[in-house]
Amino acid sequence: MQRIILTVVFTLALAAGVLAQPAVFTRGVVAADHEIASRAGAEMLARGGNAVDAAIATSFTLSVVRPMSCGIGGGGFMLIHDPSAPAGSGAVALNYRETAPAAITPDYFVHNPDPDASRYTGAAAGVPGTVAGLFEAHKRFGSLPWADLLAPAIRAAEDGFTVDESYMASARDALDWFAEDPNRRDRNAFLWSRFLRDGAVALGDVIRNPEQARALRLIAERGPSAFYEGPIAEAIVRAARNAGGVITATDLRGYRVREEKPITGSFLGRAVVVMPPPSSGGIATLQVLGTIERHAEIIGTSIDALGHNSPAYIHILAEAFKHAFADRAAHLGDAAFVDVPVGRLLDPETIESFAERIDPTATRPAKTYGSTPASVAAPPGDDAGTSHFSVIDARGSAVACTETINLTFGSRVAVEEFGFFLNNEMDDFTTVPGGANAFGLRQSDLNLPAAGKRPLSSMSPTIVLDAAGRVELVTGAAGGPRIITGTIQTILNVLAFGMDAMAAVSAPRVHHQGFPPVLALEGALGDPDGSDTEANPDGVMRLIAEVNDARARLAALESRGHRVGTIGNVGVAQIVVRVGEGHTAASDPRRSGIPAGVTRDGSIATDR
């Protein structure tokens, strides 16, 4: 709780003007959840590279410095906006989500006796897509030499990076997992010895990964063929098989990136560009934003007039979330395999129905949300296995990219010879009909696994354009289903409430995913006891008590029928916002990232 309380303190200090004004970058900026990764992208911008060049360098570097969150053993979604493209064709969505191996059938996990099969075994791993996706982005849009884009990541792997608090949070999660079964130390020796330092990892430790440097050098020299064929591919197959997996050399050779057409909606006069399925976040974002905007019109007010994080605003936000998550559970899957009714889900009549069905004074019966009845789900689990970054360059090209290995350190199955972890994306499928995944989401049979299919995802990379078609905002988040709710609130904070970049990502957030019927509040929003007052002897906690009367808020929400709880965090967002002819950026203080950009004189600077 203390870390979240300090986040709220930071937000209020910003609002009070205590901290310096955010830096404005005129030649591009990168917001990632690690400073080394942000600097890697900024280095490419400083050399004259474009947003895609910067994104590729950032992604490969994140593979090194955030091994618990993403990497070359995973996959992702990249949304690209190119203002130089012909009208109507400026946005491209690259889908390099992991795919189910050929041996995975719809009932594969139903008949697997290991309860951890879809999470912490080789069978949990989908065919990785990150390397193929980044190369496809470079082929389509890159301007700098491919090998140059991997140089910062290779350098980080060889020189090492320092363990920060974000790393330690993931390490503690992994240490708890090892404590449950000491035999896991032998089965997952690389994770235990290298990344957890035989259980003694500490803040300030330097983690080096010469094995991944070797893999990155091969990829720099030969492109994706170095990953999907040859020694790395052989090592992937071997590591998965030794841990009970089924990835084959044929699966790897057959992986293909899918270029998708982005979905574009509108909000407060802007165009909101999002990923199509199997991203569920894109549709949910447009549904929620549209519902809130229309509901405000129905009740004769504006969104900002409701008051940021007031009971009235939180209630309407939660009700809109519940409609979107109900549709997520009932209708979404990989559109290449199943019929996803995108048009109906985003039809103005559907949004109108959601908006009209929100009662400002009360919640509705649980089964009345969404286009059809929702499925029951368990509480959301914690997540560190995802990373988002946002990029814009001096030309106005932008990238919103979210990548993942799913849970913390993915499947925890290491490809030891090359220093990376395989994902556990199979758990994002409906592995057991009627059962919940690690994030407490129950999903329909549309999301059953099948050979070559991509699992449903909450990843929500988003680009917002103004009326003139210029990029106004680039954002997204990490955090399982909280990606969706965290991203949406970050967008609302900027567009509806006029917050700057840092205030937008720092402000406390709420989460509701329909089931369980719990409205989860961060930090001081749900802490009426002020139990962390001692952490702030300067009296800022008294300011929080004055600005946010938590007891009154809780009472008002409960009077509307909400069952209220607390939550550690609602996503980890990264944002870039246009300010005049430049851009500001912010990395969410819920994870220790720092943005980096290029100043007018061409130098690289960070915004702390």
Side-chain angles (χ1 to χ4, degrees), residues 65-236:
V65 299
R66 289 291 184 231
M68 75 291 284
S69 300
C70 58
I72 59 177
F77 295 141
M78 182 181 289
L79 197 60
I80 303 167
H81 173 74
D82 178 8
S84 66
S89 62
V92 172
L94 294 182
N95 175 351
Y96 49 95
R97 181 83 160 135
E98 304 88 333
T99 59
I104 299 293
T105 59
D107 60 354
Y108 180 89
F109 293 101
V110 174
H111 300 301
N112 193 313
D114 186 347
D116 279 341
S118 68
R119 297 179 189 175
Y120 300 123
T121 72
V127 181
T130 292
V131 174
L134 297 178
F135 190 80
E136 182 67 21
H138 181 261
K139 183 172 68 175
R140 289 285 311 277
F141 298 98
S143 61
L144 297 178
W146 169 253
D148 291 3
L149 306 181
L150 282 86
I154 294 169
R155 186 169 65 238
E158 293 178 337
D159 294 347
F161 61 93
T162 302
V163 171
D164 58 14
E165 180 51 45
S166 180
Y167 188 103
M168 281 303 302
S170 297
R172 286 188 285 269
D173 175 70
L175 289 169
D176 289 343
W177 181 76
F178 277 107
E180 293 172 2
D181 180 359
N183 292 325
R184 289 171 173 165
R185 297 181 187 180
D186 294 330
R187 296 196 299 268
N188 305 89
F190 191 68
L191 171 57
W192 175 256
S193 62
R194 175 66 59 82
F195 294 96
L196 300 179
R197 296 291 182 89
D198 294 321
V201 64
L203 284 172
D205 285 351
V206 175
I207 306 294
R208 293 182 174 84
N209 193 343
E211 294 87 353
Q212 188 163 156
R214 178 183 169 214
L216 295 173
R217 287 189 184 282
L218 290 173
I219 295 166
E221 293 168 3
R222 295 174 43 207
S225 63
F227 186 87
Y228 294 95
E229 301 176 29
I232 298 178
E234 293 166 4
I236 291 171

Side-chain angles (χ1 to χ4, degrees), residues 347-600:
D347 189 283
E349 291 186 2
T350 299
I351 303 303
E352 182 77 15
S353 171
F354 290 171
E356 290 177 343
R357 285 152 60 191
I358 294 178
D359 180 345
T361 67
T363 60
R364 298 175 58 87
K367 290 294 185 179
T368 65
Y369 291 93
S371 303
T372 58
S375 302
V376 177
D382 288 333
D383 165 68
T386 304
S387 183
H388 176 86
F389 57 91
S390 298
V391 186
I392 196 160
D393 63 26
R395 306 170 188 86
S397 296
V399 172
C401 184
T402 314
E403 298 178 328
T404 186
I405 52 174
N406 200 26
L407 302 181
T408 307
F409 292 105
S411 64
R412 300 177 181 175
V413 174
V415 183
E416 295 189 21
E417 303 96 315
F418 294 101
F420 63 93
F421 295 96
L422 294 177
N423 65 85
N424 56 355
E425 296 300 343
M426 294 302 97
D427 195 60
D428 271 355
F429 282 115
T430 303
T431 54
V432 178
N437 69 7
F439 299 113
L441 295 169
R442 295 181 191 271
Q443 299 158 130
S444 76
D445 287 356
L446 295 176
N447 193 42
L448 286 169
K453 192 175 182 180
R454 300 168 199 232
L456 193 60
S457 169
S458 295
M459 294 188 289
S460 309
T462 304
I463 297 174
V464 178
L465 309 176
D466 66 12
R470 296 192 304 168
V471 174
E472 184 171 354
L473 182 156
V474 185
T475 194
R482 290 165 289 171
I483 290 173
I484 297 171
T485 53
T487 298
I488 290 169
Q489 287 168 87
T490 300
I491 294 169
L492 285 163
N493 287 348
V494 175
L495 300 185
F497 293 99
M499 295 185 189
D500 66 26
M502 180 52 79
V505 298
S506 301
R509 300 192 277 257
V510 305
H511 177 77
H512 207 311
Q513 62 183 55
F515 292 92
V518 175
L519 173 56
L521 311 181
E522 276 188 341
L525 288 178
D527 182 24
D529 297 325
S531 56
D532 285 86
T533 302
E534 291 182 2
N536 301 281
D538 58 359
V540 180
M541 285 304 300
R542 288 192 297 274
L543 175 61
I544 293 175
E546 293 170 5
V547 175
N548 288 324
D549 185 344
R551 287 189 177 88
R553 180 184 296 105
L554 294 177
L557 292 170
E558 288 170 351
S559 73
R560 287 170 166 83
H562 291 287
R563 177 182 160 199
V564 182
T566 59
I567 193 167
N569 72 69
V570 179
V572 178
Q574 317 294 325
I575 191 170
V576 172
V577 179
R578 192 180 76 242
V579 177
E581 296 305 311
H583 297 89
T584 60
S587 294
D588 201 319
R590 293 164 182 80
R591 193 179 287 180
S592 43
I594 296 174
V598 184
T599 61
R600 194 176 300 278

